[in-house]
Amino acid sequence: MLSPRSPSVPRLRIACLGPSSRSRFCSKAATVGRFAVQNRQNVTTTSSFRPLASGTRPGLPRRRLAPASLAHVCGKKTRTVVNLDELPQGIVLAKLSSSSPSSLPLEPEPEEHDDGPAYPTVVMQARRNMQKFDNCVLLTRVGGFYELYLDQAEEYGPLLNLKVAQKRTNAGPVPMAGFPFFQLDRFLKILVQDLCRHVAIAEEFPADVSQRAKSGGLMHTRKVARIVTPGTLIDENFMDSYANNYVLAIHLPETGLSKPSEPLRSSDTALLSNTARPPEPSGEEEGIPQEAQQHELTSTNHHVDPPVGLAWLDLSTGRFFTQPTTLSWLGSVLSRVSPREVVLDKALESDENHSILPILAEERYLVSYSQPGELGKLSDWLPMLEAEVPAQTAEKFTDDEVKAGSLLLHYIKDRLQGVSMKLQPPQRFESMQVMNIDKNSMRSLEIKQTIRDGLFRGSLLHTVRRTVTKSGARLLNEWLSSPSTSLDVIHFRQELVARFIQNPDLRDAIIVLLQRSHDSQRLVQKFALNRGDPDDLLRLASTIKATEDIVNLLVESGRQQAQLDDCISVMVSRTSLEQPLKLAQRIRDAIDEEGLVQQHQIEDSEAGEMLALAQEIVKREGSEADSAALLPARVNSKKKKKSSSTSSLPTTTSLRDHYGEDNEVWIMKPGASPALSRLHTELGSLAQARIELTETLRQRLGASTLTLRWTPGLGHICHVKGKDAAQQHSAVASPPPSFRTVSSSRSTRSFHQPEWTHLGERLDKTRLQIRAEEQRVFSTLRAQVVLCLVKLRRNASVLDELDIMTSFARLALDRGLTKPVVIASSISNSSSQPHKTVIIGGRHPTVESGLSEQGRTFQRNDCLVGAPGHGRAWLITGPNMAGKSTFLRQNALITIMAQIGCYVPADYAELSVVDSIFTRVGSADNLYHDQSTFMVEMLETAAILRRATPRSFVIMDEVGRGTTPEDGTAVAFAALHHLLHVNKCRALFATHFHVIADLVAEYKMRLEDGGVAGSVEMYCTDVQEDKKGGFVYVHKLRKGVNTNSHALKVARMAGLPEPAIQIAQRILQGDDISPRDHGKHVPAKLAAVVVG
């Protein structure tokens, strides 16, 4: 912190000395405080410091420099030679004189009082805030602008396309840049979302008397009111309304996580075991001892897999979660949660070799650091929660979860700068019954975005989303990331979808009402954070009304079914409307919607005036580019179009007219409170008295143009104009003694009149009282919203689920989807209750959608993995481009859709519940982490073989393709063997290594071989050729093995030169090639050729 230094306290800083050697000095003279230290052993110090006499100011003793007594003569320069070795290091404090009445030593000044340029007070306030929040970009509110100063203006002004000006001060020019206050969201988006910066917003606060004295009479002081980061957004306009905005904290053990001599990379952690452990086998199964099973299903490598505590929340909705995990599963959890910001302990900031950093760097998560804070126990969270954590739930929290949550809450408190908050009680994600989808599966199945371009269009979420509310879209996003494994939940959702399909009138009516509602999850949280405005209250009341209408529709529908346990009745029972309806009625009775509309028009007018001022400044001092950058083109065009519609509004002093005269805009109805009613009655009587006084003064002075006004500079005045002001012998020209003229011109005259002055003061006082009462009523309404917090959030969750269920019904009708049969799956995969995935006529949901846009149809295929009479694993071969990977992915996606309660693209589906989905489809190298394509492929394969359980569903495509055919075949067969004998899970295994089929037959692993190992079925795709050389892919699976990959057909389609195609054909046929072929020397013998 910077502050002016007292001139009566001399200090000497030795700044340029070497270590401890006496022979090392600075190369040139250094200025230290007010003294010049020269480069020589005996230092000459020249001082113009003039100490006061001891009796000049009482209580301030005469100070002397220590250790040597430097005699100074008042007003005279002195020259003293001092040995440099005798000078103390650091700050040298003055000693008290013997004549001082106090014997206490002089306290050292704090570091923030260091000398600095004598900037203006506003710049000094900004500089202090910049030093206090040194990791933030500081935006300082100055009147109608937000401004950047000093080096931040020079750094971020060009990035924000703002003109950097030089503010002239006594201390020299100060770089500064700014923008109008109403453009805050626009520039916050660039800083926070695009540049990933922390932004500290310093607002203006009224200064008290002492602060005004210190600042030279300034009416405001500027303090940081909030720090905005990517993970702590609340209600900013640039927030993604369709996705949660999570900030996630990670607690790591104090030891065991530093990188060993061989770095532990993020992808290396894929080899480690899973914290979100699936149920382990109980007892010995299929002749394999339980110890052996546990040994195979857990990590056997030498890497340590330490526990990790996670906590994440969305500040815009108040949702709060915790989860224990391990370092090996951290990447997958982060992929599921998709946090905007990750918070680590401040102690890790200096550890550049920590094992967690590569994991976070791989997906480019924004990392922030924070002190743990004083929140050490779960009970310390209670003031920030809307309800207490149940005792049974509190006992389940691990120590790592509590520490992660405490770190997160302390970080949030620091970002909010003391603003109170109410969050939902934390939910333990570990206790939820959900499917595990690791980050590789999330990416390869394109659940949220496409692999190639990272686009939303083309993902599963894009295909199935038909929601009409933003909060419903966010909930659907969560469901797809973690589908349910609870049969009760899945069947309940399916029943709701079926009801909405059967009753289209009910479905359509609910959709219409949902469209009238607002994002109540985020609306309610704004009030919980002491934010929100009257518009938000009206939106909340509208949402409550829509909820009431929806509940009435559901009640009527449930009455027709006459079933106590009907799904509709369950949804109705989860709502609570009595208290919210009373709240909505209070809001409607209190807030004047017409007044709000007028207020918005005034604010638009004020923004227009501010924009005009900014444009005028830019026009005068800037360039055309600066003018174009002031507002986006579309905003400028909109304002031009609106100019005609707003021409009726006053273009000058609109705020002054509205806030200084009788046509004041009120946002609360007079009947909102008894005090408001009384004040409005009083204001009406005063307004009538003003009219009567106006008529009286007009008659008394004979001035028909007389008006009673108020101006900021003159106060309450009587104003006349035209002929009344020009007449020389009128009463206006010679007013009574009680009238005092304050301004006059040829055409106007203004004067003070005691009656109007007294009446105007009463009017002003009444208006201020109305404003204060309106603020009190608004605060009361906001407090009542907070009291209804739990009920409002519960109702909002019901609306979100109804939104998803009705969207599923629409999706099923539009796309011809079928209700799947989801059955329980035991921990073991026994013959009495096998785990099965039966899909008849299955279709890939996203590929089918893309083909339908082109007018093409999708080839349906059956999947009978684990069904009676069918193998638990399918070995699939066939040509390139014939749809093997599509078939693998479509069955995994159908499983996910079934377990979120959605209907599926198939003619019939019967599925055992899947606890985890694993995929190994496609690969690419990771050169940044020094990993080849084959290494990446093996890391993914190893993770699957170590984590899959009998309840898992695994799809693997082209394992072993990144190495020689022999090694690749061996690795691929070993992976298939492990899935069958150790993991015992359902698997779809696609390969171009046809030898694997022979190995399966040799080791009697085919279904027809019978026995424990007989679980593999062979299926393939094919190519159909005609006599003219044309061909078409046959995407329909058939039993058997296809040993021809038809790679040259794909090569010709890709545009490989025909001479190269011909050489490849001759090699495949076993013919020799001569050096003259293709015009180049080609070796007569090739060591190895890999085709396919």
Side-chain angles (χ1 to χ4, degrees):
M1 300 289 289
L2 295 176
S3 64
R5 178 177 136 190
S6 173
S8 60
V9 185
R11 295 180 298 166
L12 182 62
R13 292 183 181 273
I14 307 300
C16 281
L17 298 181
S20 59
S21 173
R22 298 184 180 181
S23 61
R24 297 182 60 188
F25 300 99
C26 300
S27 59
K28 54 185 177 180
T31 300
V32 185
R34 292 190 176 96
F35 300 88
V37 181
Q38 296 182 356
N39 181 10
R40 62 183 184 182
Q41 187 74 14
N42 290 331
V43 180
T44 300
T45 63
T46 302
S47 174
S48 60
F49 172 66
R50 302 179 181 181
L52 297 173
S54 60
T56 303
R57 294 180 62 185
L60 287 178
R62 184 171 179 174
R63 296 175 172 86
R64 296 179 293 122
L65 288 177
S69 297
L70 303 179
H72 294 281
V73 179
C74 184
K76 179 180 179 181
K77 291 186 177 181
T78 61
R79 182 181 180 89
T80 306
V81 178
V82 183
N83 192 317
L84 186 62
D85 295 336
E86 296 178 359
L87 291 177
Q89 304 299 304
I91 300 176
V92 182
L93 299 176
K95 294 181 180 179
L96 291 173
S97 64
S98 59
S99 62
S100 172
S102 174
S103 60
L104 295 178
L106 184 67
E107 293 292 333
E109 289 190 69
E111 284 296 320
E112 58 266 23
H113 292 285
D114 290 347
D115 285 333
Y119 293 126
T121 304
V122 175
V123 180
M124 289 296 295
Q125 290 175 351
R127 187 173 183 181
R128 294 190 189 105
N129 287 329
M130 289 170 62
Q131 291 179 335
K132 182 177 180 181
F133 304 95
D134 55 353
N135 64 332
C136 300
V137 180
L138 179 71
L139 299 179
T140 303
R141 180 71 180 263
V142 182
F145 289 83
Y146 282 100
E147 297 182 352
L148 297 116
Y149 293 102
L150 304 170
D151 56 337
Q152 289 189 354
E154 295 179 329
E155 179 181 358
Y156 294 102
L159 296 176
L160 300 175
N161 205 10
L162 296 174
K163 180 178 178 61
V164 180
Q166 298 294 325
K167 181 181 179 68
R168 296 181 181 179
T169 68
N170 293 333
V174 175
M176 61 171 294
F179 54 87
F181 70 94
F182 54 83
Q183 290 185 315
L184 177 63
D185 272 349
R186 176 193 171 196
F187 290 100
L188 272 182
K189 177 185 182 299
I190 299 175
L191 290 170
V192 176
Q193 196 172 62
D194 300 340
L195 300 178
C196 294
R197 297 293 191 272
H198 294 190
V199 178
I201 302 177
E203 298 288 357
E204 292 181 331
F205 296 90
D208 55 28
V209 177
S210 60
Q211 290 173 333
R212 293 180 189 177
K214 292 179 181 179
S215 62
L218 291 181
M219 300 297 294
H220 295 90
T221 184
R222 290 159 183 85
K223 300 177 183 178
V224 172
R226 183 187 166 202
I227 301 175
V228 183
T229 69
T232 58
L233 303 179
I234 299 175
D235 58 354
E236 284 68 22
N237 293 331
F238 56 85
M239 285 182 65
D240 186 356
S241 302
Y242 299 96
N244 286 297
N245 197 84
Y246 285 126
V247 52
L248 180 142
I250 304 176
H251 174 264
L252 301 161
E254 298 179 358
T255 59
L257 281 181
S258 293
K259 283 189 178 180
S261 57
E262 178 65 25
L264 179 62
R265 303 184 181 93
S266 60
S267 49
D268 292 338
T269 61
L271 296 171
L272 306 178
S273 61
N274 179 7
T275 292
R277 296 182 180 87
E280 297 183 358
S282 57
E284 299 184 4
E285 300 173 12
E286 305 293 342
I288 301 178
Q290 181 177 356
E291 293 80 3
Q293 297 177 32
Q294 294 176 349
H295 176 76
E296 293 290 342
L297 292 176
T298 56
S299 178
T300 57
N301 61 343
H302 299 289
H303 292 291
V304 178
D305 193 16
V308 175
L310 302 178
W312 65 94
L313 63 84
D314 185 347
L315 194 57
S316 67
T317 62
R319 303 193 66 190
F320 187 10
F321 299 92
T322 66
Q323 178 183 353
T325 185
T326 59
L327 200 64
S328 64
W329 269 90
L330 181 59
S332 297
V333 176
L334 291 174
S335 177
R336 185 192 72 234
V337 177
S338 299
R340 295 289 191 271
E341 184 178 4
V342 175
V343 181
L344 299 178
D345 195 306
K346 187 74 173 178
L348 300 177
E349 189 172 10
S350 59
D351 189 357
E352 298 180 355
N353 295 322
H354 203 281
S355 302
I356 196 176
L357 298 182
I359 302 177
L360 301 176
E362 185 173 356
E363 299 297 332
R364 299 182 180 180
Y365 292 108
L366 175 65
V367 178
S368 302
Y369 296 89
S370 174
Q371 298 290 351
E374 70 282 357
L375 304 174
K377 300 179 296 182
L378 196 64
S379 58
D380 297 334
W381 302 359
L382 186 58
M384 289 166 280
L385 304 178
E386 66 182 19
E388 189 175 356
V389 181
Q392 296 180 347
T393 304
E395 295 174 355
K396 299 178 181 179
F397 284 92
T398 65
D399 186 58
D400 291 328
E401 287 178 280
V402 173
K403 290 182 178 178
S406 299
L407 176 65
L408 178 62
L409 293 177
H410 175 75
Y411 179 76
I412 295 295
K413 284 181 61 180
D414 181 66
R415 302 299 92 176
L416 295 180
Q417 290 291 295
V419 176
S420 61
M421 59 178 169
K422 289 295 180 182
L423 305 172
Q424 300 182 39
Q427 302 180 48
R428 294 193 73 244
F429 196 85
E430 187 74 3
S431 303
M432 302 179 184
Q433 298 179 343
V434 295
M435 177 196 297
N436 292 317
I437 305 177
D438 65 359
K439 66 175 182 180
N440 295 324
S441 302
M442 192 79 69
R443 180 173 56 250
S444 60
L445 294 178
E446 300 181 311
I447 293 177
K448 295 182 180 180
Q449 61 185 18
T450 58
I451 299 177
R452 180 179 296 275
D453 303 317
L455 301 177
F456 170 67
R457 183 179 179 84
S459 65
L460 178 63
L461 179 59
H462 172 263
T463 302
V464 303
R465 194 171 78 182
R466 297 286 191 279
T467 52
V468 297
T469 67
K470 298 172 182 178
S471 53
R474 294 196 299 269
L475 184 60
L476 177 60
N477 193 342
E478 290 187 13
W479 284 8
L480 282 175
S481 302
S482 50
S484 178
T485 57
S486 169
L487 278 180
D488 293 337
V489 172
I490 296 171
H491 290 163
F492 178 79
R493 294 174 182 173
Q494 289 180 339
E495 187 179 355
L496 269 176
V497 175
R499 288 292 300 276
F500 290 133
I501 292 176
Q502 297 167 3
N503 194 339
D505 293 338
L506 175 63
R507 179 187 70 241
D508 295 340
I510 290 177
I511 291 174
V512 170
L513 291 172
L514 287 171
Q515 291 173 334
R516 296 178 185 174
S517 66
H518 299 271
D519 193 347
S520 52
Q521 291 278 10
R522 286 184 170 172
L523 273 179
V524 171
Q525 184 63 12
K526 287 171 70 172
F527 291 104
L529 292 169
N530 202 28
R531 298 167 72 92
D533 53 30
D535 293 285
D536 293 324
L537 285 175
L538 289 177
R539 294 188 189 103
L540 185 60
S542 175
T543 302
I544 295 173
K545 175 61 178 174
T547 306
E548 180 189 22
D549 295 340
I550 289 174
V551 169
N552 292 336
L553 287 173
L554 294 177
V555 169
E556 183 63 26
S557 176
R559 191 179 296 127
Q560 296 175 1
Q561 296 294 322
Q563 296 180 7
L564 295 178
D565 58 346
D566 179 67
C567 60
I568 297 293
S569 302
V570 173
M571 295 297 287
V572 172
S573 65
R574 290 173 52 191
T575 60
S576 178
L577 284 174
E578 182 179 359
Q579 192 174 357
L581 284 175
K582 294 180 180 178
L583 172 63
Q585 189 60 44
R586 293 193 193 101
I587 293 173
R588 286 192 291 267
D589 291 342
I591 297 180
D592 186 353
E593 297 187 45
E594 294 183 0
L596 271 181
V597 172
Q598 296 179 28
Q599 186 184 50
H600 293 327
Q601 291 176 341
I602 295 173
E603 292 171 351
D604 291 342
S605 176
E606 180 188 14
E609 293 172 15
M610 190 63 64
L611 179 61
L613 174 62
Q615 288 175 335
E616 180 64 26
I617 295 174
V618 171
K619 182 179 180 181
R620 185 172 61 250
E621 302 180 4
S623 62
E624 293 183 3
D626 297 325
S627 180
L630 191 62
L631 271 184
R634 57 184 180 85
V635 178
N636 285 323
S637 62
K638 286 182 180 179
K639 288 197 173 289
K640 291 179 182 178
K641 293 178 181 178
K642 289 183 178 180
S643 60
S644 59
S645 61
T646 59
S647 59
S648 59
L649 292 176
T651 57
T652 58
T653 64
S654 59
L655 290 180
R656 183 185 308 168
D657 289 342
H658 279 277
Y659 287 93
E661 299 296 337
D662 290 332
N663 53 349
E664 183 119 23
V665 174
W666 310 110
I667 61 173
M668 295 292 174
K669 295 178 181 178
S673 72
L676 267 182
S677 179
R678 176 181 56 80
L679 288 171
H680 275 285
T681 301
E682 182 179 346
L683 182 65
S685 62
L686 291 174
Q688 182 61 34
R690 175 183 176 176
I691 296 173
E692 295 174 356
L693 178 61
T694 301
E695 292 298 324
T696 300
L697 292 176
R698 285 176 179 176
Q699 294 176 5
R700 185 188 308 174
L701 301 176
S704 61
T705 61
L706 182 144
T707 57
L708 302 182
R709 295 184 178 183
W710 175 89
T711 64
L714 301 177
H716 297 89
I717 60 173
C718 299
H719 181 78
V720 294
K721 61 182 179 179
K723 59 181 179 62
D724 295 333
Q727 292 178 0
Q728 297 294 326
H729 303 288
S730 64
V732 174
S734 302
S738 59
F739 288 47
R740 183 167 57 89
T741 302
V742 292
S743 69
S744 62
S745 66
R746 292 182 179 180
S747 59
T748 63
R749 186 180 295 270
S750 301
F751 50 87
H752 286 161
Q753 201 274 340
E755 294 179 68
W756 167 231
T757 300
H758 177 66
L759 179 60
E761 290 175 352
R762 293 177 60 191
L763 280 168
D764 290 344
K765 181 180 178 181
T766 305
R767 291 192 187 101
L768 289 175
Q769 290 175 338
I770 292 177
R771 284 293 177 201
E773 180 63 16
E774 283 192 338
Q775 185 60 38
R776 189 196 66 80
V777 173
F778 175 72
S779 300
T780 302
L781 291 174
R782 186 159 56 186
Q784 291 174 351
V785 172
V786 175
L787 291 176
C788 287
L789 211 57
V790 177
K791 296 180 176 63
L792 291 172
R793 281 176 169 159
R794 189 181 301 154
N795 295 344
S797 64
V798 172
L799 295 186
D800 294 343
E801 293 182 27
L802 287 174
D803 188 18
I804 296 178
M805 297 300 104
T806 53
S807 71
F808 282 172
R810 292 172 56 196
L811 179 69
L813 294 173
D814 294 344
R815 302 288 299 276
L817 307 185
T818 304
K819 179 181 178 180
V821 178
V822 183
I823 60 176
S825 58
S826 60
I827 296 177
S828 62
N829 197 355
S830 60
S831 56
S832 60
Q833 191 178 5
H835 301 159
K836 58 185 177 181
T837 298
V838 177
I839 300 173
I840 307 298
R843 313 184 302 275
H844 193 293
T846 59
V847 174
E848 183 188 33
S849 177
L851 291 176
S852 64
E853 294 178 0
Q854 305 172 19
R856 301 164 60 190
T857 58
F858 186 88
Q859 174 61 59
R860 305 173 183 230
N861 268 307
D862 301 339
C863 177
L864 305 172
V865 172
H870 292 273
R872 194 169 65 243
W874 281 20
L875 180 64
I876 304 170
T877 56
N880 298 100
M881 295 286 294
K884 298 188 303 298
S885 297
T886 301
F887 176 74
L888 267 59
R889 288 184 172 100
Q890 81 181 32
N891 291 291
L893 293 177
I894 287 174
T895 302
I896 291 174
M897 292 177 65
Q899 292 191 207
I900 65 172
C902 183
Y903 283 25
V904 299
D907 298 333
Y908 174 81
E910 183 177 353
L911 310 165
S912 300
V913 171
V914 172
D915 66 350
S916 301
I917 281 184
F918 297 100
T919 66
R920 210 240 60 80
V921 179
S923 280
D925 55 26
N926 191 343
L927 299 181
Y928 178 77
H929 292 289
D930 194 23
Q931 295 169 355
S932 65
T933 301
F934 184 68
M935 182 61 178
V936 173
E937 178 184 318
M938 288 298 98
L939 288 170
E940 295 176 359
T941 303
I944 294 173
L945 299 184
R946 294 181 183 278
R947 295 173 178 173
T949 70
R951 301 174 65 195
S952 300
F953 184 55
V954 176
I955 61 174
M956 305 187 81
D957 187 18
E958 301 185 25
V959 175
R961 67 176 179 175
T963 184
T964 63
E966 294 79 8
D967 291 348
T969 299
V971 170
F973 177 76
L976 178 60
H977 187 276
H978 197 280
L979 291 173
L980 287 174
H981 291 83
V982 179
N983 304 103
K984 299 182 178 180
C985 60
R986 289 161 280 179
L988 297 175
F989 199 96
T991 184
H992 284 291
F993 296 134
H994 314 121
V995 180
I996 295 179
D998 301 331
L999 293 173
V1000 168
E1002 179 181 349
Y1003 287 94
K1004 300 187 181 302
M1005 295 167 58
R1006 296 177 302 179
L1007 181 66
E1008 53 266 30
D1009 293 329
V1012 176
S1015 302
V1016 179
E1017 276 193 284
M1018 314 287 190
Y1019 284 86
C1020 67
T1021 56
D1022 209 342
V1023 166
Q1024 183 177 346
E1025 300 181 89
D1026 58 21
K1027 296 179 181 180
K1028 298 181 181 179
F1031 69 96
V1032 62
Y1033 288 111
V1034 180
H1035 299 289
K1036 184 70 175 179
L1037 263 69
R1038 62 174 176 84
K1039 279 197 172 185
V1041 178
N1042 192 334
T1043 59
N1044 193 345
S1045 293
H1046 298 277
L1048 297 186
K1049 293 182 174 60
V1050 178
R1052 181 174 278 111
M1053 292 172 59
L1056 205 68
E1058 190 59 30
I1061 297 291
Q1062 294 175 2
I1063 291 179
Q1065 288 176 338
R1066 295 176 65 178
I1067 293 297
L1068 284 177
Q1069 295 169 2
D1071 298 337
D1072 293 333
I1073 58 175
S1074 65
R1076 293 187 301 273
D1077 288 329
H1078 204 201
K1080 294 182 181 180
H1081 175 73
V1082 180
K1085 295 182 180 180
L1086 299 178
V1089 176
V1090 181
V1091 180

